[in-house]
Amino acid sequence: FKTGVSRAQPSLLPPSVEDYVGPDNPVRAIEAYVGALDLARLGFRHAGAVGGGAGQPPYDPADLLKLYLYGYLNQLRSSRRLEREAGRNLELIWLLHGLTPGYRTIAKFRRDNWAALKAANRSFVLVARELGLLGGTLVAIDGAFFDGNASKGSIATRKRLAAELAAIERDIEAYGAALEATDTAEADPPGGDDRGPDGGRKGGDVGREMAALMAERARRQAELDALAASGETQVSRTDADARLLTKRGHTIAGYNVQIAVDDAHKLIVASEVVDDGNDTGQLHAMAQAARDALAVETLTVVADVGYFNGDTLRACEADALTAYVPEADKNRRLAKQGRFTLKAFVYGAAEDVYVCPAGATLRPMAGHTQDAAGKRYVRYAALQSGCGACRLRARCLTDKARRREVHRWEHQDVVERHRARMAAPEADAIVRRRAALAEHPFGTLKCRAGYRHFLVRGFDRVRGEWGLMALAYNFTRVLAILGLDAFVAAMARRAAELLLFSLRRALQLAGGVGAGFLTRSGIGFAR
């Protein structure tokens, strides 16, 4: 068998830490990337040396960012695990120059720098754009649920709070009756014994239980009052921002993560964390964020059927965002019954009328109707005499209905233009492309990396941790596309530009003489 070097063998020239990290080690890409960042501009703050004693200097935000980026690239998210790895992992020892921050310092950095972590994620998208890795023509939008740092039992809806309050009221009534029985028994104890069946004093335990129930009732009532005042439908006792989210019969306590993925190399160009389990209203906001990140005037976006919404389609059309979103068939039940659906009624834009399958005309009525969401509709109605004598009445109306009415949204022309676009030959290929784009990042993060939940609580911190997850995904993709050497070289150029920019800014603050000399010398600045 092969044998290693004896641990007791002295060495005149022990190997350096540099010897253990080869030139092709991906950890060098982390070093190059963080070295090319303007951390102060991104908003990073140092993490104090917790427990390090008075007068201890803080850790450099660059070192803690390297630690977290290495951790999220290697499925190490816990601050305690990162603390252990910093003292035994040779790659981290090389990356941090032997520094071993404590877990409280590590956790505090992630907690306090959530906005900077989001900014770092957005900054990496700009890096990818500068490197020519973004197509900028088509993005796919999708959402996925991630568990929060809270249990489902810690989140209560109004219905659940009302049921709990009613149960507490019943218990209070029961304990009240028990207290009255105890008082009666104590007034005239048989045989002079005032002990209960279990040998203990009567009344004391019941009184304490009553006091606890009264306090619990006050808490439940306060939670109900807070929900009524805020307009929310849920209250979380652990993570104030986590919500019960349900999709296809599966319920979690957590957040809904929205992403926009570029078509060129499946990079996440925009993302957001929301607490709404319904994707219907997210299309326009995500498409607009993606367009801003790509710095383009027009953009094609594709999403699944859950994003179909007339208002968001109208907003996308107004902002030069071409959307491809399949529409759910809401008339299957009527079609199975052999009855006419809304598709059987043809709208004539010139005359502003509908024509039914029997050839009758439905004309607009005065006034508008409004649904619960505030959308206004115009009613189109046929003549009662025509519907009463129609040969197709059984397929169009119920027995009690006297005439057929059709409700048309006041901006229905937007939906009709979208339907025409979806009927075009190229629409099928774009819709099929969506699953390969938008579901790839979620599959990678959830299945390969195991990131199915957040470790932190609250919207701000959750969004910061998601920024780390998205950054780790994009970082891995870019490194695989470019290769280590090309990536490190690109970061070296950015670091040089940052250094020149910082030098010029310092000279300008000092009086501008040196900056003028650099400008006259022809030294350019990318920033």
Side-chain angles (χ1 to χ4, degrees), residues 345 352-356 360-364 380-382 404-406:
F345 292 77
D352 189 23
V353 295
Y354 274 95
V355 178
C356 76
T361 301
L362 285 73
R363 300 190 181 278
Y380 293 77
R404 182 62 187 250
E405 292 185 3
V406 172

Side-chain angles (χ1 to χ4, degrees), residues 9 46 102 125 142 217 219 314 317 351 367 374 389 393 403 407 418 435 446 474 482-483 493-494 527:
Q9 174 67 42
H46 66 75
V125 175
D142 200 7
R217 180 177 67 176
R219 284 194 291 270
R314 179 168 172 256
E317 185 178 88
E351 300 84 7
R393 174 185 171 83
R403 65 181 181 183
H407 293 250
H418 177 263
K446 286 192 170 187
N474 282 342
L482 294 180
R493 291 192 297 270
R494 284 182 59 87
R527 296 177 183 270

Side-chain angles (χ1 to χ4, degrees), residues 120-294:
N121 179 37
R122 291 193 297 267
S123 174
F124 193 81
V125 175
L126 299 180
V127 172
R129 194 177 75 193
E130 292 173 3
L131 296 175
L133 300 180
L134 301 179
T137 57
L138 172 67
V139 297
I141 297 173
D142 200 7
F145 291 170
F146 282 72
D147 289 292
N149 193 1
S151 67
K152 288 189 285 188
S154 67
I155 301 178
T157 61
R158 291 184 182 179
K159 182 179 179 181
R160 177 181 166 185
L161 285 174
E164 290 177 351
L165 191 59
I168 292 172
E169 294 284 0
R170 291 193 296 269
D171 289 341
I172 289 175
E173 292 179 5
Y175 275 106
L179 280 175
E180 291 180 4
T182 300
D183 292 340
T184 303
E186 288 180 348
D188 187 18
D193 185 10
D194 62 349
R195 294 181 178 274
D198 57 353
R201 298 283 297 179
K202 292 182 178 180
D205 291 341
V206 178
R208 284 193 294 271
E209 290 288 346
M210 175 67 83
L213 283 172
M214 296 292 286
E216 192 66 24
R217 180 177 67 176
R219 284 194 291 270
R220 294 292 186 274
Q221 188 61 54
E223 290 173 344
L224 274 174
D225 294 342
L227 283 180
S230 64
E232 296 284 342
T233 58
Q234 301 178 21
V235 59
S236 177
R237 302 182 182 109
T238 303
D239 182 353
D241 295 323
R243 293 292 180 266
L244 291 175
L245 308 177
T246 302
K247 182 182 292 186
R248 291 187 287 273
H250 178 60
T251 301
I252 71 161
Y255 298 87
N256 186 2
V257 177
Q258 300 285 317
I259 61 172
V261 185
D262 185 71
D263 179 52
H265 292 288
K266 300 179 183 177
L267 294 172
I268 301 174
V269 296
S271 58
E272 187 55 276
V273 181
V274 299
D275 62 356
D276 187 359
N278 195 338
D279 295 332
T280 305
Q282 306 298 329
L283 179 67
H284 175 251
M286 291 306 304
Q288 197 171 35
R291 186 184 63 180
D292 294 342
L294 294 169

